Each structure stands twice: as C-alpha cells, then as structure tokens.
C-alpha cells in the first residue's frame, strides 16, 4: 500500500477537519462554516462515506484530506504529505544525503537572513545613520508601527558592516555569500551587497526571510537592488507581503497584484490588506499557482505604461529577457487567458490613473481605489477595448488589424460558450459576419500550439477495451498518460477538470499533465515524471502499468475508452454534487433562507442541464455514439 493510501486509512477526515473547524452532524454528512471564506450560513460539507469535503459557497471546490491540508496550510502536495504522515505516525522514506544537506543549508540561510533583517531594522529605527531613511519613509506616509510590521531596515553606507555583524554571530563566510548578502569580486575581495539603502525583507508565506530588496535614497543607480537567485530566493516565485496578507486574501476572496514594495505597505497601513507585489518581474505561472491556492480571483493592477497594448503583447519577450531562468511569463492577453483556464481562476485588469501608484492613490482617495477595483475588467474584455480603441474601425485596414490581434486571444479560450460570446462581440464591433471569422478562428485553434486530435477514422470496428478493476479516475489518468494526444478532446468533450478528481494524487497528476503538454511539444513519460514528487512518480508508474494488462490498445480504442470513462467520471462527479446540493437545499429550506434557496436552485438547474448535455457531447464525439445516434432514438435530438 502506498503511503498516501495508508494515511487515508489511518486518518478519518471528519475527525481531522474537526480539529480545525467545529463540525455539525447533518444527516449522513457534517457541515460547518467554510474555513476558507467568510460566510454566515454553513456551506462547507464533509462526507464521511467518501472521505471528501466540499464548499458549496464562494470556493465551490472540494477534495480529499490532502486537498484540505494544502488549502488550509498553504502548502504544496509533498509538504501536505509530510504533515499528514507525521500526524498518522507513518514514517516517510528518510531524506537522502543530498536532501539532508539542502535542508540544513536552507535553515542556515534563513537564520542568516533573519539576523540581517533584525540588524538592518535596528539601524533604521534607532541609529543616527538611519535618519535619512527614516525621513524618507515618513515623507512617503509610512507610520512607525508599519515600519515595525514589515521590519523595514537600513543598510549602512559601509563595505563590511553586515559581514562583520554576521561573522560575530558565528555564521560561516561561505553561507553569508550564498545568502546573497555579500558579493565576491573577481580579485576575491568580499564586501556587503547592500550599502546605503532602505531595506525591505522579503518573506515566504510562513514568514521566513528569503531575500531582500534595497532602494537607494538618492539618485544613484540601480534604484532597486534585489537578492540574486539563491537556494532560498527565486524572483519568479517570491511575492512581497504574502506573509502578512495571505489571510486577508483568503477571506476577501481576491488577490490584487501590484508592482512595488510601497504599493503593498501603504495600502496595508490604510486597511487594504489583500495585496502582494511581484518584484520587478512579470507575473509568472509560479506566482499564479501560489495565489490560486488562496483564491480564484486575481486582479492585476497595472500602471498605464505596462497596461498599454505593446507592453501586453510584448510581455513574453520582455519577461524572457529579464529573467535568468525558465519561467512562463503570463503577462500577455493570450497567456493570461490560457492560465485563467488552466488554473480555473478569474483574472481581471485594473488600470491605474496616469502617474499614480497604488500607494499614492489610496493615501489620497480611498474611494477611487475601491471603485477601480470594482470596475476591473476581465482579461479578454480589457484587451478587446484596448485594441478597438487603438485602430480606426471605419477603415478596412483598421478592421483587419483588430481581427488579427484579437482572434488569437479568443482562440486561446477553451470554454466554447465564452469563445462564441467573444467572437460574436468582436464580429459586432467590427461589423462583420461572425461566419467570416470562424474559419480563421478554427485554424488558430488547430494551430501548432495545441496538439491536434488524433485521426478518428477507424478502419475496423474498434475492439472494446478490457474491463479494468481500476476506479474511473485511475482509468482516465492511465489512458491519458498512455495517449496524451487525447487530452484536448477530453478537455473539450468531457469537460474534464482537475476538480472532478477527488483523490488529490490524481488531481495533481492531471494538472501536471495539462501543464506539461501545453509547455512541451514532445511527450516523454520519463521527462514528465522528472518534475514530480516521489509519491506521485510512483503513482504514475503504477497507472502506466495497468495499460499493459490485456492486449495492446489501438489509438482508436483508447479514444473510445477514454471518452467513455471521462464522460462517466464527470457525470458521477456531477451526480454526487447534485445529491449533496439537495442536502444543502433542504437545510436552507428548513431555515427559510430565501436568497440562498434561489441560488442553490439555480446551481442545481445548471448542473442538471450540464449532466444531461454530457451524453450528447459524448455521442457526438465517439464512433459508438455516432452509430448509436444513427440507429437509436437519439437521432431525433438532431445529432
Ligand atoms: Zn468556502
């Protein structure tokens, strides 16, 4: 048995979750006020039978005990595994030598950073040298208690002040260098990296100091200096302020991404506490993944320069140049749309007034800020407006330009309803028949960026796949791992999403597979497994093994089987959801909560329709279905 299964067997989800929130028995389930969002009536339900949980409110997500810990503790899968194994009294594979050394090193570097932050902070608050920095902060409107909350500091205008201080605290010179706090010149001389700067310690969500940003107090260059890439610090994943703001992001349900340190600090002081800043880099996939664990609603606050069309279009180029390691920059309309869908998140754009940063704006006019937040536009709408305002729609050339810029963005939308909606809007705005735009849209969707669906014309009747003892989740994943080309079809036809998988392991693998296929043209199981945690790797291997049972599958048979399994999987997910929703509805009816009853009924109606549509989509996409449609009563449905 795998460690994951063993943990699930030993820990009862009801017992476990009730250590976090008081659970109230309600029929065959337990309910509570959702621990992930603020609410007055409970919409968080725990299901003892399936050992799963779900929030039917704002979060509208659920999962198993692992998903719960990941969300609640803001950790990734390996860390959740470690925590739960400890709780269950199960020994994980001991760390090997290299991992031990890495862990030891990280702890040493954290201690060095913490000591440095305290040193800088003391100088800012109490020393005569810190006077200029203190006055600068006061001029910007930063109060003393805020300087303390963010542990702001001052690095003196000296070459060895910090180095000496850290050595006196018994830290090894190599480690100080590795933490990025000193620099070694070509001649071998070692000196302090940050001199004469206002210091911003950058922390991770757990509050460890992972790096620093330093700002000059005069006009010298560079204005900002960051810790370089170290074992602790990675610009592409660090989010300034997250240690202080993650609670508020979770509670408010929205994260606002800004650009500078001050843009987090001043709003925080004024009570706007759901902000984070990415440090002078483009927003990366890594940033989004971290934020997505806390909320599905992201707002990017862009200054008018960055929000301009060229900048949005060129985001990829600029970001790639600015970064020394491989990240996937997403600050392009197309990139944002793609990640919105992959992450199942909503991304909006807030454009700041000319010449005003969030900190100045909030200090001057709080209500204007609130208004800007409320009026932030979805990415596609924002970009559409941007393009249409820039071209002359009365001329044929302007129309052509608008179409050629906007169609690729619309083509990147996976959801067919949303895609059609935006296509229609574009057609209206440029006064063209949408049928004229459709062939180009389809060409873009079939383009090299997406793997094309396999040839579905089978020469002989497809043999039926061997019946498998596996669960549906595992069968789907195994087939996808064996035939990753089928993924686009599964996404489109069965509308499979990570949420459908109740086992967190399967969910992780599904998401990893989606990411991998969108970033790599070539599929290789070995390459794919490389990016996974040990437990997940073992799971992938055992899934792939199951494909070798019975006669080899032809691609056609795999396609049929996968369509069938994924449709059934999604239907079973929907029917569970509907059953659970009816419980919740009963509760609401007993309490006479009219507003809630209306909401729930609307959701039930929507899901029921979705459930019924699943079969239609399935029949339309499979051989078996097309045959059935010809013979059976379904033909009257117009398929
Ligand atoms: Zn919730």
């Amino acid at each position: 048995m795998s460690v994951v299964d063993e943990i699930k067997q030993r820990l009862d989800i009801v017992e476990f979750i009730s250590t976090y929130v008081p659970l109230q028995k309600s029929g065959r389930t337990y309910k509570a006020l959702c621990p992930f969002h603020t609410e007055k009536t409970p919409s968080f339900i725990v299901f003892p039978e399936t050992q799963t949980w779900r929030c039917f409110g704002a979060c509208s997500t659920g999962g198993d005990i692992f998903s719960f810990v990941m969300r609640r503790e803001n950790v990734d899968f390996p860390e959740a595994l470690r925590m739960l194994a400890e709780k269950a009294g199960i020994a994980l594979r001991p760390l090997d030598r290299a991992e031990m050394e890495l862990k030891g090193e990280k702890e040493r570097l954290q201690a060095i950073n913490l000591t440095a932050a305290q040193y800088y902070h003391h100088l800012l608050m109490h020393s005569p040298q810190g006077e200029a920095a203190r006055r600068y902060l006061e001029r910007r409107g930063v109060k003393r208690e805020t300087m303390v909350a963010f542990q702001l500091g001052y690095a003196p205008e000296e070459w060895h002040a910090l180095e000496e201080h850290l050595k006196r605290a018994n830290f090894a010179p190599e480690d100080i260098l590795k933490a990025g706090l000193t620099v070694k010149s070509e001649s071998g001389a070692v000196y302090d990296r940050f001199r004469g700067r206002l210091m911003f310690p950058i922390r991770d969500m757990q509050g460890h100091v992972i790096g620093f940003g330093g700002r000059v107090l005069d006009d010298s260059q560079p204005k900002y200096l960051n810790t370089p890439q170290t074992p602790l610090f990675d610009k592409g994943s660090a989010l300034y302020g997250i240690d202080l703001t993650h609670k508020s992001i979770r509670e408010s349900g929205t994260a606002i991404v800004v650009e500078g340190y001050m843009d987090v600090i001043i709003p925080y002081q004024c009570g706007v506490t759901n902000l984070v800043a990415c440090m002078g880099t483009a927003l990366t996939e890594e940033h989004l993944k971290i934020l997505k664990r806390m909320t599905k609603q992201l707002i990017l606050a862009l200054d008018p320069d960055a929000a301009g069309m060229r900048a949005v279009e060129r985001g990829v180029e600029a970001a790639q140049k600015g970064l020394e390691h491989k990240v996937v920059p997403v600050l392009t309309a197309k990139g944002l749309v793609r990640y919105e869908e992959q992450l199942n998140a909503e991304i909006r754009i807030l454009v700041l007034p000319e010449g005003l940063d969030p900190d100045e704006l909030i200090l001057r006019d709080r209500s204007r800020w609130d208004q800007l937040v409320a009026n932030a536009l979805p990415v596609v709408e924002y970009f559409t407006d941007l393009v249409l305002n820039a071209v002359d729609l009365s001329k044929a050339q302007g129309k052509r330009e608008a179409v050629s810029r906007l169609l690729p963005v619309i083509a990147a939308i996976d959801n067919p309803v949303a895609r059609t909606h935006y296509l229609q809007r574009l057609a209206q705005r440029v006064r063209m028949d949408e049928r004229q735009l459709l062939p180009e849209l389809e060409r873009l969707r079939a383009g090299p960026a997406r793997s094309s669906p396999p040839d579905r014309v089978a020469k002989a009747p497809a043999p039926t796949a061997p019946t498998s003892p596996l669960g549906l989740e595992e069968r789907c994943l195994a087939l996808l791992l064996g035939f990753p080309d089928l993924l686009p079809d599964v996404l489109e036809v069965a509308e499979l999403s990570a949420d459908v998988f109740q086992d967190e392991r399967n969910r992780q693998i599904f998401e990893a597979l989606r990411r991998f296929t969108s970033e790599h043209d070539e599929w290789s199981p070995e390459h794919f497994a490389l990016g996974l945690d040990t437990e997940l790797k073992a799971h992938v291997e055992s899934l792939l093994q199951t494909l070798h049972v019975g006669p080899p599958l032809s691609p056609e048979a795999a396609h049929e089987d996968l369509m069938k399994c994924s449709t059934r999987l999604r239907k079973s997910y929907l029917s569970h959801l509907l059953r659970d929703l009816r419980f919740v509805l009963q509760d609401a009816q007993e309490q006479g909560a009219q507003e809630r009853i209306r909401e729930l009924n609307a959701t039930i109606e929507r899901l029921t329709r979705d459930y019924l549509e699943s079969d239609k989509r399935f029949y339309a996409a499979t051989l078996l279905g097309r045959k059935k449609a010809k013979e059976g009563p379904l033909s009257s449905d117009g398929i």
Side-chain angles (χ1 to χ4, degrees), residues 68 70 196 207 210 253 404 437 446 463 465 487 490 513 557-558 604 609 630:
F68 182 84
M70 286 168 66
I210 52 175
S404 73
L437 300 175
L487 187 61
V490 167
L513 188 66
I604 290 175
R609 220 177 308 130
K630 242 182 260 163

Side-chain angles (χ1 to χ4, degrees), residues 150 469 494 537:
F150 285 87
K537 221 181 286 175

Side-chain angles (χ1 to χ4, degrees), residues 325-381:
H325 53 103
K326 193 192 171 270
V327 292
V328 183
V330 294
L331 193 68
T332 62
K334 216 168 111 186
L336 287 173
V337 167
R338 198 153 66 84
Y339 282 103
E340 223 176 6
E341 305 216 328
Q342 276 189 14
L343 297 168
N344 189 16
E346 188 195 39
I347 303 176
R348 290 172 174 258
I349 308 275
L350 178 166
V351 181
L352 293 159
E354 193 86 47
L356 277 184
D357 287 331
D359 65 313
E360 296 164 293
L361 183 62
I362 287 175
L363 273 181
R364 256 191 238 182
D365 189 352
R366 169 71 194 269
S367 64
R368 179 132 180 246
W369 166 262
D370 291 337
Q371 205 175 26
L372 284 170
V373 170
N375 295 338
L377 285 179
V379 175
V380 182
E381 269 174 49

Side-chain angles (χ1 to χ4, degrees), residues 34-37 39 43-44 55 57-60:
C34 178
F36 306 122
H37 80 275
E39 61 176 3
S43 50
F44 179 84
C55 167
C59 310
S60 74

Side-chain angles (χ1 to χ4, degrees), residues 158-202:
E158 288 171 44
W159 293 91
H160 301 285
L162 179 73
E163 190 194 0
E164 290 306 323
H165 179 81
L166 291 173
K167 279 192 196 156
R168 273 197 301 277
N170 283 326
F171 291 114
E174 315 84 79
D175 284 341
I176 302 173
L177 190 65
K178 225 177 226 168
L181 288 165
T182 49
V183 183
K184 194 177 202 164
S185 73
E186 272 174 37
S187 64
V190 174
Y191 54 90
D192 288 359
R193 178 183 301 272
F194 300 101
R195 299 178 309 279
R197 283 171 188 268
L198 174 61
M199 298 299 291
F200 302 88
I202 302 161

Side-chain angles (χ1 to χ4, degrees), residues 5 27 106 112 255-256 378 440 444 447 465 487 505 542 555:
D5 293 324
K106 279 190 173 175
I112 290 175
I256 303 179
E440 177 62 8
L444 285 165
L487 187 61
R505 246 176 325 178
S542 76

Side-chain angles (χ1 to χ4, degrees), residues 8 233 489 556 564 588:
K8 285 191 171 179
F233 187 68
D489 257 24
E556 295 79 21
K564 199 162 66 195

